[in-house]
Amino acid sequence: MRKVSTWEVLFVPLFFLLILYPILAILGNITLEGMVRTFNDPIFWDAVKNTLVTAFFAALLSVLMALGFAYFYIFHPGTIIYRIADFMNDLPIALPHTVAGLALLLAFGRNMFGFAGPTGLAFTLLAVVLAMFFVSYPLAARTIASSAEEIDREMISVARTLGDSPPQAYRRVVIPLLGEAIFSGFVLGFSRSISEFAAVIMFGGNVPGMTQVLASYVFTKVEEGEVSMAVTASAFCILISLLLVLFLRLEGKLHARSEKSA
Amino acid sequence: MLEAKNLHKSFGSHHVLKGVSLEVKPGEIQVLIGLNGSGKTTLQRILTGILEPDEGKVSIGGKDVTSSLPEDRLLGYVPQNTGLFRHLTVRDNILYSLKNGRGSEESFREAVELLDLESYLDWRPTQLSGGYKSRVALARALASSPRAMLLDEPISEVDRAKKEYVLPLFRQILLQLHIPVLYITHDPWEAGEIGTSYSIMRNGVVEGIASPEEAFSVIRQQARDSGE
């Protein structure tokens, strides 16, 4: 009989207790009444729309910025700009997201951006996008830069000797080879954006139908004592997250298969 | 003429190139036999323009290119692992420089014909054998109508039996170009098969030698000295 190790004894029950059980607790508390009320609530659908649209633009901006970071990584790794950008990539991971939200509020709120409106950029959908971007960009940057690291530098050298300037070599050689990483960076950035709460609520606010996203909708419903609606909205979030994870896994498998057949 | 004069390069306290000079004339295939750790990669990077020397001068076709960017040197370059663009077909690899105004449809057709690549134009580099990969890499460099060529162990991924066929083909084509060709290798046998003149690089300097056999004795001596 196979001997069971201490790691297995520790891992399996703790995994079920701490990871799966809370998810199941949400799913187990879904009620028909909660579903009917939530799905008939136009504010819920506004929050869904806001979440998907702002997360899409935050992920898009994250990927574009990550491609800029990867450009510095490939062509100017010794510069001070690259070093600062590389160091700062880890900061949003370690920073409490309320602090990130406050930082954005002070930087783009009415104090500095009063000309843009009574609250500056704060409490608008653009603020939601910027808050999501602030926390999702490092993930996209890490994903794309680590893939750029694997690209054979001789390819870039050859492209240069064939007449490409660095931006041309980046566009014609590097970006096409980063295709899968760009896609993964986008999906990861999108997932991270959807899950963001603290920075969004600090900078974007929680105005129902205006800047409220799914995460803040759930929070509001719990505060209002509408637990059945909060549970339904949470289950909806879990469904979106599971679809994203499945999407990433499927894409990873397809890529591995195409690499193998090549 | 491809010329390097008194090149020096250091990384921190490590003095890699200690006054490298070489001269390759049009129609000459000079083989540089580089021993391990001799600084040949640094020299290659300086000749292609990826690195700038601390001191010294590089000129191609009589033009000082020491501070020129790689894209302005008109140097055909074939690296060790061929550096083929794996997202492009063989055709698009060879045509790559045309978008930058280098070479022509005619130089493309000529390179394809010389290296017998007609049937592989729609293939991807990943579908090719090592020998054909190096042919495509050479064709890509030739199609850009270079003023000089630098080949850095271009057939290191090819097995010996195939090298015996590929090397004479490469030699014939390179001689036909009548431009200076610098061919870097660590294999004296390969040097003998392709070169018209020879030099050896060790400890950051380049010395002219009469034949690849001379390189053999230097390598043997170095192996004895290092106790290998």
Side-chain angles (χ1 to χ4, degrees), chain B residues 163-188:
Chain B
K163 273 184 185 176
E164 285 178 11
Y165 173 72
V166 169
L167 282 169
L169 175 73
F170 276 25
R171 185 177 207 271
Q172 185 199 338
I173 293 168
L174 291 169
L175 286 174
Q176 223 170 297
L177 293 173
H178 204 73
I179 58 173
V181 177
L182 183 65
Y183 189 106
I184 302 176
T185 181
H186 67 274
D187 181 354

Side-chain angles (χ1 to χ4, degrees), chain B residues 131-219:
Chain B
Y132 272 93
K133 276 183 190 166
S134 53
R135 284 180 192 222
V136 176
L138 180 60
R140 180 177 59 181
L142 295 182
S144 69
S145 306
R147 282 192 302 202
M149 288 283 290
L150 171 63
L151 296 91
D152 182 10
E153 309 214 24
I155 53 168
S156 57
E157 286 178 22
V158 181
D159 56 53
R160 173 75 183 252
K162 281 184 189 153
K163 273 184 185 176
E164 285 178 11
Y165 173 72
V166 169
L167 282 169
L169 175 73
F170 276 25
R171 185 177 207 271
Q172 185 199 338
I173 293 168
L174 291 169
L175 286 174
Q176 223 170 297
L177 293 173
H178 204 73
I179 58 173
V181 177
L182 183 65
Y183 189 106
I184 302 176
T185 181
H186 67 274
D187 181 354
W189 172 81
E190 196 176 312
E193 290 295 301
I194 197 156
T196 59
S197 65
Y198 312 94
S199 51
I200 190 163
M201 186 165 191
R202 52 177 168 165
N203 304 324
V205 287
V206 170
E207 300 158 25
I209 51 171
S211 69
E213 285 72 31
E214 243 184 84
F216 267 124
S217 59
V218 173
I219 292 168

Side-chain angles (χ1 to χ4, degrees), chain A residues 88 90-103 134-135 192 196:
Chain A
M88 292 297 284
D90 292 330
L91 193 67
I93 294 167
L95 200 69
H97 289 181
T98 43
V99 177
L102 182 62
F134 194 84
V135 294
R192 184 69 199 81
E196 183 50 28

Side-chain angles (χ1 to χ4, degrees), chain A residues 204-260:
Chain A
N206 182 16
V207 187
M210 297 281 286
T211 62
Q212 191 173 61
V213 291
L214 270 172
S216 41
Y217 179 88
V218 170
F219 177 74
T220 304
K221 289 299 157 195
V222 172
E223 264 200 328
E224 289 171 355
E226 299 278 10
V227 177
S228 64
M229 290 177 84
V231 165
T232 306
S234 301
F236 196 83
C237 285
I238 292 171
L239 182 71
I240 294 175
S241 310
L242 284 177
L243 284 175
L244 285 170
V245 172
L246 276 175
F247 201 46
L248 263 182
R249 290 286 167 104
L250 192 69
E251 198 275 333
K253 275 190 181 162
L254 284 177
H255 176 76
R257 197 176 296 169
S258 70
E259 288 273 290
K260 214 174 173 184

Side-chain angles (χ1 to χ4, degrees), chain A residues 152 154 158 160 162 164 172, chain B residues 70-71 77 81 87 96 100:
Chain A
D152 177 11
E154 287 291 24
V158 171
R160 301 282 311 274
L162 293 171
D164 274 355
R172 295 179 71 190
Chain B
E71 54 267 38
Y77 173 49
N81 56 7
H87 59 296
Y96 193 89
N100 293 323

Side-chain angles (χ1 to χ4, degrees), chain A residues 3-14:
Chain A
K3 198 180 165 193
V4 180
S5 84
T6 318
W7 292 109
E8 288 167 292
V9 172
L10 278 174
F11 177 76
V12 176
L14 285 178

Side-chain angles (χ1 to χ4, degrees), chain A:
Chain A
M1 199 178 146
R2 189 172 75 91
K3 198 180 165 193
V4 180
S5 84
T6 318
W7 292 109
E8 288 167 292
V9 172
L10 278 174
F11 177 76
V12 176
L14 285 178
F15 175 75
F16 273 91
L17 181 71
L18 302 177
I19 307 284
L20 275 185
Y21 172 62
I23 300 285
L24 293 173
I26 291 267
L27 301 179
N29 278 290
I30 296 174
T31 61
L32 186 62
E33 178 258 342
M35 279 171 71
V36 171
R37 288 183 60 213
T38 310
F39 293 147
N40 281 319
D41 180 8
I43 300 291
F44 168 75
W45 292 111
D46 282 338
V48 172
K49 191 185 77 190
N50 285 347
T51 306
L52 297 179
V53 170
T54 50
F56 175 84
F57 283 108
L60 197 66
L61 187 58
S62 297
V63 165
L64 286 175
M65 283 289 289
L67 284 172
F69 175 70
Y71 180 86
F72 269 92
Y73 172 71
I74 290 176
F75 292 104
H76 308 295
T79 57
I80 189 84
I81 293 278
Y82 171 74
R83 285 180 197 178
I84 292 173
D86 186 40
F87 180 79
M88 292 297 284
N89 267 348
D90 292 330
L91 193 67
I93 294 167
L95 200 69
H97 289 181
T98 43
V99 177
L102 182 62
L104 288 166
L105 193 58
L106 292 174
F108 300 112
R110 68 175 174 198
N111 288 347
M112 304 297 280
F113 271 71
F115 59 87
T119 56
L121 299 183
F123 314 126
T124 62
L125 277 182
L126 178 60
V128 177
V129 171
L130 292 178
M132 287 175 167
F133 162 76
F134 194 84
V135 294
S136 62
Y137 157 73
L139 265 179
R142 286 269 170 257
T143 307
I144 290 175
S146 71
S147 193
E149 197 179 334
E150 287 166 20
I151 290 177
D152 177 11
R153 295 307 161 95
E154 287 291 24
M155 263 194 257
I156 301 167
S157 301
V158 171
R160 301 282 311 274
T161 62
L162 293 171
D164 274 355
S165 62
Q168 283 173 316
Y170 194 60
R171 181 174 54 79
R172 295 179 71 190
V173 177
V174 180
I175 291 182
L177 292 173
L178 287 177
E180 198 220 352
I182 291 172
F183 179 78
S184 302
F186 181 85
V187 177
L188 283 172
F190 187 78
S191 316
R192 184 69 199 81
S193 296
I194 280 181
S195 65
E196 183 50 28
F197 171 69
V200 166
I201 214 160
M202 288 289 284
F203 184 42
N206 182 16
V207 187
M210 297 281 286
T211 62
Q212 191 173 61
V213 291
L214 270 172
S216 41
Y217 179 88
V218 170
F219 177 74
T220 304
K221 289 299 157 195
V222 172
E223 264 200 328
E224 289 171 355
E226 299 278 10
V227 177
S228 64
M229 290 177 84
V231 165
T232 306
S234 301
F236 196 83
C237 285
I238 292 171
L239 182 71
I240 294 175
S241 310
L242 284 177
L243 284 175
L244 285 170
V245 172
L246 276 175
F247 201 46
L248 263 182
R249 290 286 167 104
L250 192 69
E251 198 275 333
K253 275 190 181 162
L254 284 177
H255 176 76
R257 197 176 296 169
S258 70
E259 288 273 290
K260 214 174 173 184
S261 62

